[in-house]
Amino acid sequence: MLRLISIEFFKLRYTRYFWALAGLFLVLLIAIPVGAHEFLDYLTDIGESPINIGIDANQIPLYDFIDLWQNLTWVYSSFSVFLGFIMLISIGNEFSYGTIKQNVIDGLSPTELFLSKLSFIGAMSLIATVAVFLIGLACGYLWSPVTEVAFIVKHLEFLPAYFFHLCAFQLLCLCVGLVVKRTGIALALLLFYIFPIEFIAVRVTEYGWKMPWLADLYPINALNNFIPNPFPKYILKETLTTVQFPELGIAVGYTVILGLLAFWLLAKRDLR
């Protein structure tokens, strides 16, 4: 497995887009919780000023270990596109520069080629998840009112859910790249599907047709749903605070389908 991961990293280590996207992703992981905390401090300062708008933002338990893991992973799931784009651009460049054919010519079987992509997806997802865990620990120990181990581990299930989300989205991007092969066109089609098409389709299905169960089956929506949005609870709305197994089952189904599709595309296509 390490050999297969090293093959993928060797292809990417001198590419600017890889370091730019990975670096921006890491900067956002750090900047979002720090920036949000500074903003809450600013609101608190306004509340304590002579203007006094009555806000004590420090009472909002965003960084309480009980809520922290769900809050972080839900926000960070919106930025999985950065890792997905790395995979999408990578596979597009392999077709453009012929490196995917060269790998097969040099003796890498289609199965090994698929496993190398799968291993690299897993490695990037694992690194990102560990980074989120470390950032969460730092934020919690700095700003959480409770730091006992029982509270720290209470909702750690959101971290493997986040890992799974990253893997699934990167597999989707891999499939798109294998089908389209042109990086620019693949990126445009993926973004066009995510934002105008599925965004509108989900809302029409859920609120127009009154069929939320069907809206949950749209692929991007399905991959996002098993980490529930935690923030409505701060305005006293009922909110799910655990990973939901039905939504997780749908996402697992999509991931298996995407993995099999990616393998089929690599195994059946003439790469020579």
Side-chain angles (χ1 to χ4, degrees):
M1 181 178 291
L2 290 177
R3 180 179 72 89
L4 297 176
I5 294 174
S6 66
I7 290 172
E8 291 301 310
F9 180 69
F10 181 80
K11 299 174 189 175
L12 294 171
R13 63 178 178 172
Y14 295 120
T15 57
R16 292 182 180 179
Y17 74 85
F18 171 72
W19 295 110
L21 289 171
L24 183 57
F25 179 73
L26 180 60
V27 168
L28 287 171
L29 291 186
I30 298 171
I32 288 172
V34 174
H37 185 264
E38 291 299 317
F39 181 67
L40 290 177
D41 282 346
Y42 170 73
L43 291 180
T44 301
D45 290 341
I46 292 177
E48 295 174 351
S49 69
I51 302 175
N52 195 346
I53 59 174
I55 295 177
D56 185 1
N58 287 323
Q59 297 302 313
I60 304 174
L62 292 178
Y63 299 98
D64 191 320
F65 270 119
I66 297 174
D67 295 340
L68 178 65
W69 302 118
Q70 184 179 6
N71 292 347
L72 284 182
T73 53
W74 186 84
V75 171
Y76 287 156
S77 65
S78 301
F79 300 98
S80 57
V81 291
F82 290 100
L83 298 187
F85 287 171
I86 289 175
M87 182 53 57
L88 190 61
I89 297 171
S90 170
I91 195 68
N93 286 350
E94 290 213 51
F95 282 112
S96 298
Y97 300 129
T99 53
I100 195 166
K101 293 182 180 180
Q102 190 61 47
N103 285 154
V104 176
I105 292 171
D106 290 343
L108 203 65
S109 70
T111 299
E112 288 178 313
L113 188 59
F114 169 72
L115 290 176
S116 70
K117 299 296 181 188
L118 195 62
S119 300
F120 194 70
I121 285 172
M124 287 202 297
S125 301
L126 181 60
I127 291 170
T129 304
V130 170
V132 171
F133 174 67
L134 295 176
I135 291 169
L137 283 181
C139 292
Y141 276 112
L142 285 172
W143 303 314
S144 175
V146 291
T147 56
E148 290 81 3
V149 174
F151 293 105
I152 294 173
V153 302
K154 185 174 179 59
H155 288 300
L156 275 179
E157 72 272 10
F158 284 105
L159 288 174
Y162 177 68
F163 170 82
F164 183 79
H165 168 84
L166 291 176
C167 290
F169 186 75
Q170 288 178 87
L171 272 173
L172 173 63
C173 292
L174 174 61
C175 289
V176 172
L178 288 171
V179 171
V180 179
K181 294 195 292 186
R182 298 295 185 99
T183 300
I185 297 174
L187 280 171
L189 287 175
L190 182 63
L191 288 173
F192 185 69
Y193 173 77
I194 291 174
F195 295 108
I197 295 179
E198 185 169 312
F199 181 83
I200 294 172
V202 166
R203 275 138 192 86
V204 169
T205 304
E206 187 170 357
Y207 300 110
W209 300 346
K210 307 297 182 184
M211 301 171 68
W213 63 269
L214 182 58
D216 290 342
L217 296 179
Y218 289 103
I220 300 298
N221 200 38
L223 297 183
N224 289 332
N225 274 350
F226 62 93
I227 300 179
N229 181 356
F231 295 107
K233 66 187 170 188
Y234 298 123
I235 55 174
L236 304 180
K237 288 188 176 181
E238 185 178 356
T239 306
L240 297 172
T241 58
T242 58
V243 175
Q244 300 299 297
F245 285 101
E247 285 77 6
L248 182 59
I250 295 171
V252 168
Y254 268 115
T255 304
V256 172
I257 292 170
L258 290 169
L260 292 173
L261 177 60
F263 177 75
W264 182 83
L265 288 169
L266 284 170
K268 297 299 182 181
R269 180 165 290 169
D270 183 9
L271 299 177
R272 296 182 183 274

